[in-house]
Structures are given as C-alpha cells and as structure tokens.
Amino acid sequence: MKISYNWLKQFIKIDWDSQKTGELLTDLGLEVEGITAFESVKGGLNGIVVGEVLTCIKHPNADKLKLTTVDIGTGTPLQIICGAPNVAEGQKVPVATIGTTLYTKEGEAWTIKKGKIRGEESLGMICAEDEIGLGKGHDGIMVLDKSLVPGTLCSKVFKIERDEVFEIGLTPNRADAMSHFGVARDLKAGLQQINIQKELITPSISNFIVENRSLKIDVAVEQSELAPRYCGLTISNLIVQPSPDWLKNRLKAIGITPKNNVVDATNYVLHELGQPLHAFDAAKIKGHKIIVKTLPKGSKFTTLDGIERELHEEDLMICDADKPLCIAGVFGGENSGVTEHTTSIFLESAYFNPVSVRKTAKRHALNTDASFRFERGVDINNVEYSLMRAALLIKEIAGGDITSDVADFYPKKKDDYQVFLTYDKINKLIGQEIPEDTIKSIMASLDIKVKNVSESGMGLAIPFYRVDVQREVDVIEEILRVFGYNNINSKEKLTASIASTSKFEDYKLQNLIGDQLSSQGFYEILANSLTTPDYIALSSDTIEGEAVKIMNPLSTDLSIMRQSMLFPGLEAISYNSNRKKQHIKFFEFGKTYHQKPTERIENKHLSLLITGNKTDGSWSLPTQQTDFYFLKALVENILLRLGISDTSSLPTQSDVFSEGLTLNVQENKLVDFGVVKKSITKYFDIKQEVLYADFEWSAILNLVSRKSIVFKDIPKYPEVKRDFALLLDNGVTFKEVHDIAFETEKKLLKNINLFDVYTGKNLPEGKKSYAVSFTIQDTKNTLTDKQIDKIMSKLQTSYEKLLGAELR
C-alpha cells in the first residue's frame, strides 16, 4: 500500500523527516518496506532553463531544420538546431542544456549531449511540452511567457510537486489502516506515547447542503444481509473534464493514473478515507431506481473491461429498473460509468458483506482497489460521511448541484464489540506491568471507549471498523504495539528447562530419512496441499466424495485438499523436465486429506519420485537407467534404517501403478511402490518412465515406536559362504527360495543372496537358473566341513522337494 507523506500531513501536522516517521510507523505495526521520492514532473526539470531565441534561420543543409542562437543567461548565446515548425525569433522557450537528463513516455532516461546535425553544431535542445513532462503536446516547441528572464530555472517557473511515498506492507487484518486517514490515526497514537500531542484533522463536510431535489433516484435493497448499509445521492449540471493538477499529483504519487475529475474524486476519497465509492451516469439509470439484489445464475453481464461474465446466483449486483449496472463492491459495468458526456451522476457509498465480496471477486478473477477494501471490512459508520465528502469534492472540481437528499439504507445499526480487559491478563501476556493511566491513554488514542473500570480490569467498547480487535488478546496486542515492543524490558535472568523427548519423534525420523535420501542424490520438495478436482478422475484412490473442499478457494485449480501425494509430485517433475532437467529424484514429507462420513482425516506420508538415470555417465561408469529394482532397494533400505525388516509383499492394489508391490507388516500397509501408469504421466506431459513410492508414514511411526533396539557382540568366529545354481520353474520367486532356506536352517543361516538370474538357450522350456549364495555362521564355535555339508544338503533336499529344483 502506498501512502503519500504530503497527503498524510493534511491529517496530522508533523515536521519529521520521512525516515523518522517511517520508523515510528514500523514500530506501530505498519511496516514501511521502502520510501521513494516522487516528482510531478519526472526529473524535476533539472537542467532546463528559460531561453530567448535571438536568431532563427533555415539550416543550410536541411529543409525542415532551423539554426537558432539562444540566450540562456550565461552571457554566451548557444547555437541550437531545432526541427519544430513554430520556433521563431524573440520567443521565450524551455532549453535543456548539455548534460540534462530527459525521459521518454515509457520512462527511459536519455541525456542531452553536444553534437552535430547535418554539419552544424548543436549545444542543447529547445523542448516541446511532452519532452519535459509538462503536457502531451508535440506539434511544436513550448513557448513561455515573454516576461520571463533568460536563465531562470524552469523548476521555479512551473510548480513542481515533490513528495515522499511510503510503501507499507499492510497485513490483511489491518483493514482500519487502508487509507491515509487510517495511517494518520495510528501515527497520532504513536506520537502520543512519546509525549507529542497532535490533533487529527478530518475533512470538513459542514458546507454540505442539498441545493434542490430535482433528480431523485429511489434506492431499494433486497438483500440486506449482503448490503447492510447503502447510501446514495445525485449531483447534476456538472462538467466532466481533466482534474486539477493538485488532485492528479496526489493520485500519481500513489501510482494511480488520473482519468477525469469525477472518477478521480472517488479514487481520492477511497485512498483518503478508505471508503470505496462508485459514480453512475444518472442518465443511464432506467426508471430512476437503484435496486441492490442478486440475479439468477447464468445471467450475463459485461464489465468495464469489455468482458462478458456469467453471474453466480450469490453475486450481489447494483441494478436499475431494467438491467444490472455494477458488480457490487467489485467492478462497474461497461455502459453505466461516467464519460465526457455525463452531466449528472448517482454517487454510491456502501458497506457490503466482506465474505460475499471476496467470493464474487475470486469467482470472476477480479482484484480492484474497491474489492480489496470491501472484502477486509470498511467502516460502516463512515459510509455517509465519505459520501458527503466526495460530493463536496466533486462540486469543487466539476461544478454542479446536489440534487437529492442522501438515501441511507441502514436498517440494523452495527454495535461496537464489547470486551472486558483484565490487568492480570495484560501482565501475563506482556510480561511487564503497564500503568493503568497509560492503558487508558492508548485506548483513547485508538478510539476504544472505556465503559467501566473495576479492580480487576475495564470494560471496553471496540469500534466496529476494528474487525481485527474482538477478543481480550487482540486488545492486549493493540496496547503492546502502541506502547512499543522496544519499550518492553528484558529480564537479566533467563530461565529454561530441557525437555525429554523420544528418539522416535516424528521430526527426528524425518531428518534421519531425509539425510539418507539427500546423500543418495534426492532433493526434498514441498508441494501445495491445495490442488485441482480434475485429478480425482485419474485414479480410484482419489474419491470425489472424500474430497475436502475449500469454502472460499483462491481459484478452481486450488479448490480441494489433496488426497494423493502423487499428482503434486508429478507437477514438479513436469515443471523440471520442461526445463531440461531429465534426471530427477524427489522426496516429500506431507499429508493427504480425506472427508469421511463423520470426520475429516489427515494422513502422513513420505513419497519418492524418480525418473531418468541413476547417475550421470562418465568414462569409468556407463549411464544406468533407473528401474523398479532400484526403487525397491531404496524402499527396503529406508525401512531397514528404521529397524523394519520383517515385511511381507503383495502385488499392489493401487491403480496408479502399471506394476508394483505393497509391503506390509502383519495387517499394516507400510508402502506402495512401482511404475506409474503411462496414462497418468501422459496427462502431465511427462514422456519418461516415472517410479513412485508412497510410504504410510503414520503407520511407520506407530510401528517404529514399538521397536526395541537389540545390541549384539561382533562374532568371534568366521562366516562361511556357499553357492547353489538352482534350475527352477519360471513361476518360482526369490521370496520362496528365501523363506524355504530360513525355515530349513533357522539357527546358523544368517543371509541368502540372489546374485545371478539366467533365462535363455541351453535351458529347458519354462525354466530359469538362480545363482544363490548362503552365509552360514556359528557365533560360539568354528564351523566344520561336516556341519557345512550337512546344512547345504538339507537346503538342497528342501528345494528339490518343495520347488522341484535341480542343481546345475
């Protein structure tokens, strides 16, 4: 939000430099992010002086150029080449001297330099209006008053408005400070705390009178819950024309482009008092009637930007007897606004329901200065005052008469918020006792009325416009920010205690696995929990009836909470692959959200997403493509790192995979992993194979917390390895080979490993060869050949009997 310092000084007379004022505003919670200089004429006419054209002859080498000599008060006339058709001897003209910086219409700077034009030297530039920012004229040079003395600075001839503009990072809750008056109100409270008493000056409306009642427009509000207050009046016989310079400069300083005196006046009051207003061309209001109502769903309405919009049944509209004129509190209509032909207006000032305005603005993707304020809450008790202030300003700059009484629809007056403030709570939250008189002074400076006082505290009435102050803690926050955070003393002694936490805390395990994955080349991502409902159709895992919907979404693409970690992750892969990042390893700790019949559930997850190569190729290592087994190893290593090894596997039931497995411990599912279906990756415009693992992190946390860590001595006796080359049926899995081995030898068999698989020629049809190694160890004695042979014989017999295996 931009605040003009000159404008601010109209409300509170202060002679501080802008830096000091900015520091106080920041201390009050209105953080000043920067202070920029403003000049009504860019460059401030620096280097531009009054010159007198002494001679003016035709350029010897160009038909359209003139060769002039110009006196600029230095005693030595300058020779300047000029192409303007109206330049003539005896004129007083603005001259940009060598080294002067001028600006194009687009704001780009360029410097006047000494040069030659068609062989003749030119030592400056005689300027047109638009070249020095004093107008738009470019038909010829600007001719000044003949009484001006050559050499006079043009910055003294023309009134240049200089200002300093605060860029305030306004937090959304501070609706009361969305204007120059609101900022001045806070500034007054802050000054009072450092014993500087300043009066808050408000624009007078004492001159407001109704000249006649020749143009009455009736107002009817059909939805009072959406428009609790609506005011309006008419002004006739006005003249729409450009605004005076002072008004233009005020608006330009805060980044608003002036349009005409009527529109500029409404914008001025908007930024002055924080109350949005809208001016309708009264001649375009059919039936001399304004109706505030909603229209049927699907009704068409064309806004000021020329876009035809389809209305929602909850969109509040300002209508006349025949048609809609404006989206209430958001945007005007194409054919109801003020033009240069307008001679009478209906001026509107209102308080619209903030939730209704925000929903409408988001539905139509509109963000205006008016909607910005309405959706945060304006001062309902300031509506009529702002209307009168705007009417008087329009009369001042556009002429005309007020030709109707103020129509004020305000059926139910809004009461102040009632809060009881206890001294104990103040001291407890702030940590320091603040004198009662100081608290009362702060309350008074913030327009908070002290209704009653007791030994324990005080009863307060909070103005309705302070939508952010409705609880006791809110009032204490107000006291603290005005009193000054810097004025709270810190204790010399700091007391702290060390909390005992479990090694199985969620964040500790996340850090443990996060470190493991990052060391393996993974990058952590953090996807948005809001997503689009379009993804529901991609998988049966995402159920429309379980979608947690946002009541007031930012957009339709962010209107539900995610039910799957996959789709936001694929968005990240698509974004990176479109930027030539083809080899990707991502992991994310996050949540999914589900609407059940009686409750909402949040599930914790860890997801892995891999595509492309395992590593970049080099002279010593060929490039290797990631595959299912690479992902499987990662998944198993994560579980092993958490002390989980006794898992069972089943084919996954999730339809996001073309092939995949589910690992369980007893009845608890721990992880689904596999290759993502091509139909899903194609939806995200991903052309590579994507591997995905989805860990049920909540189940893993529950399981890990029950695990006890067992420490064992390192065995003193050596281990022995033996191999089998088994000829097996194609349908036999390694898991069967693994489980049979440990069922056969439970005591001395420590590990089994599949180190080669062969299928192809020289093998019977339907057969494959597994090369398996067995690790055998006795922790108490050295194994003998006899013991080893006996174990291997038992294993061979078991494989032959249970799997029909043969030794090759």
Side-chain angles (χ1 to χ4, degrees), residues 205 207-219 229-235 277 345-350 380 382-392 402-410:
I205 58 170
N207 293 332
F208 181 88
I209 59 170
V210 179
E211 278 87 1
N212 60 72
R213 294 172 177 80
S214 59
L215 181 58
K216 182 184 178 184
I217 293 181
D218 295 325
V219 173
R229 189 172 192 183
Y230 189 91
C231 293
L233 56 77
T234 63
I235 304 175
L277 303 111
I345 63 169
F346 174 78
L347 188 62
E348 164 197 279
S349 180
I380 195 169
N382 202 36
V383 169
E384 185 182 24
Y385 168 75
S386 299
L387 178 70
M388 293 180 177
R389 162 63 175 152
L392 289 174
I402 298 173
T403 51
S404 76
D405 292 316
V406 175
D408 187 4
F409 175 85
Y410 193 14

Side-chain angles (χ1 to χ4, degrees), residues 149-205:
V149 177
T152 304
L153 297 177
C154 283
S155 58
K156 294 183 177 179
V157 176
F158 301 98
K159 187 177 179 181
I160 305 298
E161 173 97 14
R162 288 181 171 83
D163 198 353
E164 291 173 290
V165 180
F166 299 107
E167 183 67 46
I168 295 179
L170 192 68
T171 52
N173 63 311
R174 291 302 307 277
D176 63 296
M178 293 187 298
S179 65
H180 286 76
F181 177 72
V183 173
R185 185 167 45 201
D186 254 23
L187 184 57
K188 174 181 176 290
L191 289 170
Q192 185 173 304
Q193 293 310 301
I194 54 177
N195 297 318
I196 299 176
Q197 303 297 326
K198 291 290 182 180
E199 181 185 358
L200 194 60
I201 304 166
T202 56
S204 173
I205 58 170

Side-chain angles (χ1 to χ4, degrees), residues 11 58 167 173 303 305 354 383 563 589 612 645 698 718 750 781:
F11 293 99
K58 180 179 174 296
E167 183 67 46
N173 63 311
T303 46
D305 53 7
V383 169
Q563 296 183 59
F589 288 98
S645 57
S698 299
K750 303 301 180 185
N781 298 292

Side-chain angles (χ1 to χ4, degrees), residues 55-273:
T55 64
C56 178
I57 62 174
K58 180 179 174 296
H59 192 293
N61 302 316
D63 293 337
K64 294 184 179 181
L65 298 179
K66 303 286 180 62
L67 193 62
T68 68
T69 55
V70 184
D71 177 14
I72 62 168
T74 60
T76 305
L78 301 178
Q79 178 172 286
I80 298 176
I81 308 246
C82 181
N86 67 324
V87 64
E89 184 179 317
Q91 291 175 337
K92 298 290 177 65
V93 293
V95 178
T97 56
I98 300 298
T100 299
T101 299
L102 299 180
Y103 298 88
T104 65
K105 293 178 182 179
E106 292 74 26
E108 296 180 6
W110 61 285
T111 304
I112 300 295
K113 297 178 181 178
K114 178 181 177 180
K116 282 189 175 183
I117 301 175
R118 295 290 183 95
E120 295 293 336
E121 190 174 53
S122 184
L123 301 175
M125 175 178 169
I126 303 175
C127 303
E129 283 184 354
D130 65 334
E131 291 168 334
I132 55 177
L134 292 175
K136 298 181 180 180
H138 194 71
D139 294 336
I141 60 165
M142 188 175 187
V143 180
L144 306 178
D145 191 295
K146 288 187 177 183
S147 63
L148 295 173
V149 177
T152 304
L153 297 177
C154 283
S155 58
K156 294 183 177 179
V157 176
F158 301 98
K159 187 177 179 181
I160 305 298
E161 173 97 14
R162 288 181 171 83
D163 198 353
E164 291 173 290
V165 180
F166 299 107
E167 183 67 46
I168 295 179
L170 192 68
T171 52
N173 63 311
R174 291 302 307 277
D176 63 296
M178 293 187 298
S179 65
H180 286 76
F181 177 72
V183 173
R185 185 167 45 201
D186 254 23
L187 184 57
K188 174 181 176 290
L191 289 170
Q192 185 173 304
Q193 293 310 301
I194 54 177
N195 297 318
I196 299 176
Q197 303 297 326
K198 291 290 182 180
E199 181 185 358
L200 194 60
I201 304 166
T202 56
S204 173
I205 58 170
S206 60
N207 293 332
F208 181 88
I209 59 170
V210 179
E211 278 87 1
N212 60 72
R213 294 172 177 80
S214 59
L215 181 58
K216 182 184 178 184
I217 293 181
D218 295 325
V219 173
V221 179
E222 294 186 2
Q223 269 89 13
S224 59
E225 71 281 4
L226 300 183
R229 189 172 192 183
Y230 189 91
C231 293
L233 56 77
T234 63
I235 304 175
S236 302
N237 305 318
L238 52 77
I239 300 173
V240 177
Q241 59 189 357
S243 298
D245 288 341
W246 70 265
L247 178 52
K248 288 181 180 178
N249 291 336
R250 284 284 181 267
L251 296 178
K252 286 179 181 177
I254 59 173
I256 297 189
T257 303
K259 293 180 175 61
N260 59 57
N261 48 6
V262 175
V263 174
D264 292 348
T266 61
N267 281 331
Y268 184 88
V269 174
L270 165 69
H271 292 277
E272 179 185 52
L273 301 176

Side-chain angles (χ1 to χ4, degrees), residues 684-734:
F684 290 89
D685 196 28
I686 300 171
K687 298 177 176 60
Q688 301 181 149
E689 183 179 79
V690 177
L691 304 168
Y692 170 60
D694 180 21
F695 291 82
E696 298 285 346
W697 192 250
S698 299
I700 289 173
L701 289 175
N702 185 47
L703 185 63
V704 169
S705 64
R706 300 200 305 264
K707 288 272 183 183
S708 57
I709 298 175
V710 179
F711 295 91
K712 296 181 180 179
D713 292 334
I714 297 175
K716 298 179 181 180
Y717 301 98
E719 60 185 28
V720 175
K721 287 192 176 182
R722 291 288 186 271
D723 299 339
F724 274 165
L726 298 173
L727 186 65
L728 300 163
D729 292 337
N730 280 338
V732 176
T733 64
F734 174 67

